Amino acid sequence: MNFDHPPPPREPLPVTSAQILDGKALANRLQDELKQEVYEWTQQTGQRPGLAVILVGSEPASTVYVRNKRKAAHAVGIADQLIELPAEITQAELVAHVDRLNADPQVHGILVQLPLPRHIDGELVLRRIRPEKDADGFHPMNMGLLALGTPKLVPCTPLGVRELLIRESIPTKGKTAVVMGRSNIVGKPMALLLMAKGPGGDATVTIAHTSSVDLPGICREADILVVAAGQPEIVKGSWIKPGAVVIDVGIHRLADGSLCGDVDFAEASQVASAITPVPGGVGPLTIAMLLRNTFEAARAIVHSAR
Ligand code: GUN
C-alpha cells in the first residue's frame, strides 16, 4: 500500500543480487494504458466510469489509502466521489448509502474501505454491494466465480501480483507457488489465481498459515513465494529457495517511522532471483487494479444496458 511521504530507508541496503520488481513503475505504465482506454470509451459512449469510495471514520492509514485511490482514479479519467461517514454510523445508515450507490447509474464501482468499526458487520455490508459494482471483488458472487475458474471482478492485490508476474515474464506454469496467509482479501484469491489455467497461473499451490507446521520448510519449497502474513519481516533469507521469486504483500510502519514488509528484504534479496520492494512493490499495483476493475465494471454495466 502507498504512503504519501515514504521516509528514508533505515540503513543502506546491501548490494543485492536479486532483480527488484518495480511495482510503482509498472503501475504507472498500467495507468497510462488505462487512461487511453478510458478516454476512447468515454468518446464512444459519452459516459465516464464512476467510482464511489466509502470511508467510515478517520483511521490515518485508511485515510491515506483512500486519498491515493481517489488521486489515481482522477488521473486516469474516472469520476470519483468520496462518501465520508462518522465512525458512529449505524449499520442501517451505512447499508442505506450502499443501496443508494447501487441504484446510481453514474456509479460503476463501489469500494468500502476496510477495516470498518467493530459495531458494523463488514460481511453484511460487502454482500450488500451489487456484484456488478464490486470494485474490490470481495462479494461472495465474485469470489465464487473466481473459485469456479470464470472470474469477473477479482480482488485487486492478487490481480496486481498476477499482472506483475505476467509482465515481468516470470514463469508460473508447473512451478511450485507458496502463498503465506489465508485471508479473503489476499491469500485465498491469490492461491486461486496461481492455480487457475492460463497466464500467471497453472502453478502447484500451497497455502501456508498460522497453524502450518514448519513454515520455513514450506516456504523453502517455493519457486514463487507470495507473502501476505501481516507480520513485519517474518520471512528470513534462510526461508527462501535460492533463485525463488519473492512477492511481499505486507507493509508496516516501524517505531522509527520507516516502512517494511513481511519479508526481511536485506536478507531475502541475497537469495531470491527477483523480489518486490516495500514500499513501491505490490501497493501501487493494487491501486492500478482497482482502477482497471472500475473500468471493466463500467463497460459491463453500460454494455448490458444497451
Ligand atoms: N483495506 C486494506 N486493503 C484494502 C483493500 O484492498 N480494499 C478495501 N476496501 N479496504 C482495504
Side-chain angles (χ1 to χ4, degrees):
M1 292 285 181
N2 259 345
F3 285 81
D4 262 3
H5 302 290
R10 277 172 292 159
E11 58 200 45
L13 294 171
V15 177
T16 62
S17 53
Q19 176 196 354
I20 307 301
L21 299 168
D22 188 342
K24 179 87 188 119
L26 176 57
N28 286 340
R29 258 197 340 270
L30 295 171
Q31 282 168 216
D32 285 346
E33 291 171 16
L34 183 62
K35 184 177 177 178
Q36 183 62 27
E37 285 182 65
V38 168
Y39 175 78
E40 286 167 13
W41 185 78
T42 297
Q43 293 285 315
Q44 283 163 15
T45 62
Q47 308 225 30
R48 274 182 84 189
L51 172 67
V53 178
I54 296 180
L55 175 62
V56 181
S58 54
E59 213 243 317
S62 290
T63 305
V64 173
Y65 293 152
V66 164
R67 195 188 315 141
N68 289 337
K69 288 170 183 177
R70 294 189 67 209
K71 209 158 57 180
H74 186 77
V76 300
I78 291 175
D80 70 287
Q81 56 171 295
L82 173 64
I83 295 96
E84 275 184 287
L85 302 170
E88 309 76 43
I89 192 165
T90 66
Q91 174 93 24
E93 286 167 330
L94 178 53
V95 164
H97 280 281
V98 172
D99 287 347
R100 177 176 57 77
L101 296 168
N102 278 338
D104 184 341
Q106 313 275 8
V107 172
H108 307 106
I110 302 170
L111 180 150
V112 178
Q113 184 65 30
L114 303 175
L116 288 166
R118 291 167 65 96
H119 68 279
I120 302 276
D121 179 348
E123 289 284 300
L124 191 145
V125 173
L126 295 182
R127 279 164 200 232
R128 193 78 175 204
I129 297 171
R130 259 180 67 190
E132 297 84 356
K133 295 191 175 188
D134 174 31
D136 261 326
F138 294 164
H139 190 282
M141 170 77 89
N142 285 316
M143 290 292 282
L145 288 170
L146 174 60
L148 294 171
T150 52
K152 285 221 168 85
L153 294 169
V154 174
C156 305
T157 298
L159 201 56
V161 171
R162 184 180 67 171
E163 195 68 24
L164 181 70
L165 295 172
I166 294 171
R167 300 262 184 157
E168 294 286 349
S169 303
I170 292 165
T172 54
K173 187 171 183 171
K175 300 292 180 189
T176 297
V178 172
V179 179
M180 246 186 98
R182 56 180 160 183
S183 71
N184 292 334
I185 293 182
V186 183
K188 274 185 215 163
M190 186 75 253
L192 289 167
L193 285 178
L194 285 163
M195 78 172 81
K197 290 183 178 167
D202 292 316
T204 304
V205 183
T206 300
I207 302 187
H209 49 75
T210 40
S211 293
S212 298
V213 175
D214 188 19
L215 277 174
I218 295 170
C219 290
R220 265 193 301 274
E221 295 290 312
D223 301 310
I224 299 159
L225 178 62
V226 181
V227 187
Q231 301 282 333
E233 298 183 333
I234 185 176
V235 173
K236 302 294 172 191
S238 62
W239 295 30
I240 291 164
K241 178 177 175 174
V245 174
V246 177
I247 310 289
D248 189 350
V249 177
I251 186 158
H252 311 274
R253 197 178 284 285
L254 300 176
D256 67 359
S258 66
L259 297 174
C260 75
D262 290 353
V263 176
D264 185 325
F265 183 90
E267 288 187 19
S269 56
Q270 305 285 317
V271 188
S273 64
I275 185 168
T276 56
V278 177
V282 173
L285 292 169
T286 297
I287 295 182
M289 292 298 122
L290 169 68
L291 307 180
R292 167 59 64 184
N293 274 355
T294 303
F295 180 52
E296 297 302 335
R299 274 211 289 220
I301 290 167
V302 169
H303 184 76
S304 73
R306 295 189 156 203

